[in-house]
Amino acid sequence: MSEDAQGQSGTIRPPDTAENSVVVCGTAGGVGTSVVSALLAEHRAATSLGGASWWVDAAGNDGDLHQRLRATGDQALLRTASGTGLLPAPDAAVTDVVVHTWRFGAVPVVDAGSRPLTVLSELETPELRDVTPVLVVGPRPDLLNRAREIFTEWDDAGVLARTIVVICCQVPTLNHQALTDMLIEVVAGRVAEVVGLDYEPILGDGTALDKAAQQRFSQNTWTAINQLTVATGAVRR
């Protein structure tokens, strides 16, 4: 365990809330990992956690989510209109990031980028046993084929069983339903839950994702986000 993960009186534990801390990984770049993780943190802030909901940017990229969410305030921890805290942590280990937020009573959603095999070793540790992993997958044949190794490695490590899979469709003309159904059939019973996120025109614009933009989401999008929110609020194992 790193020095930051150890308190003076013992291991730092997560806040006593119904919601779990979450680590979100993409099975490839560009599948929607940052957007899915940010919207989860936003929905939790709006519905249950308030300012204790933090979105942590640990993807290691030059992202623009803080701008798209119209966050303001202290650069060390910006806030959105929904109350979500946005914490930049580009160079930190996921374990250190999560424990750091717990010190402030926060319940983070960590955007770990497209590093599912790298992050897996941390998700196996006792420090993160109460954290819910999320894998974001794109419903394209090439992306699903590339995800096979990731599912196998996560399954062998015993992490897949507590993982929520989000199938994120980012192309409006993509006939993804057959691929989505196939993936659900393959992973059903091996993962905690599967959430299908259909193409959302507001997200497809690539512009603002603030509270006003979120209010224009389709009902299908809200249903998927709510399903993901409920799934990550399950009782800790």
Side-chain angles (χ1 to χ4, degrees):
M1 186 191 305
S2 69
E3 182 178 353
D4 190 42
Q6 183 75 30
Q8 293 181 351
S9 59
T11 302
I12 301 297
R13 302 300 304 148
D16 186 16
T17 66
E19 293 79 3
N20 292 349
S21 301
V22 179
V23 173
V24 184
C25 293
T27 56
V31 296
T33 308
S34 295
V35 169
V36 168
S37 57
L39 291 180
L40 173 59
E42 280 279 272
H43 196 244
R44 288 170 136 200
T47 58
S48 60
L49 289 172
S53 179
W54 286 18
W55 177 75
V56 183
D57 182 5
N61 302 318
D62 293 332
D64 61 353
L65 255 296
H66 63 291
Q67 296 170 332
R68 296 177 66 192
L69 288 166
R70 305 286 193 254
T72 59
D74 187 345
Q75 289 295 319
L77 184 69
L78 298 171
R79 291 279 181 184
T80 70
S82 299
T84 306
L86 306 186
L87 179 69
D91 301 319
V94 168
T95 303
D96 290 343
V97 166
V98 171
V99 173
H100 174 73
T101 65
W102 289 347
R103 292 180 184 276
F104 294 89
V107 184
V109 177
V110 180
D111 173 11
S114 54
R115 299 179 295 143
L117 297 180
T118 301
V119 172
L120 176 59
S121 61
E122 294 191 74
L123 293 173
E124 295 178 272
T125 63
E127 290 78 21
L128 297 188
R129 68 179 181 274
D130 294 328
V131 169
T132 298
V134 173
L135 276 176
V136 183
V137 185
R140 283 181 4 210
D142 60 320
L143 295 178
L144 293 179
N145 283 330
R146 290 167 60 188
R148 290 176 185 270
E149 178 187 1
I150 296 164
F151 279 101
T152 299
E153 293 288 338
W154 281 45
D155 196 14
D156 290 346
V159 173
L160 192 64
R162 73 180 209 256
T163 298
I164 299 165
V165 174
V166 177
I167 305 169
C168 185
C169 184
Q170 296 184 292
V171 181
T173 57
L174 178 63
N175 184 12
H176 68 92
Q177 196 57 55
L179 290 171
T180 297
D181 292 343
M182 180 187 70
L183 179 59
I184 291 174
E185 182 177 348
V186 169
V187 301
R190 298 172 58 198
V191 301
E193 190 155 352
V194 180
V195 177
L197 182 59
D198 288 337
Y199 177 77
E200 169 55 62
I202 302 300
L203 300 179
D205 286 343
T207 54
L209 285 179
D210 59 0
K211 192 172 183 179
Q214 294 170 30
Q215 291 172 346
R216 304 198 306 274
F217 286 171
S218 70
Q219 185 56 52
N220 285 344
T221 298
W222 279 120
T223 298
I225 295 172
N226 186 66
Q227 182 185 354
L228 180 59
T229 302
V230 172
T232 57
V235 176
R236 293 191 179 96
R237 297 162 180 80

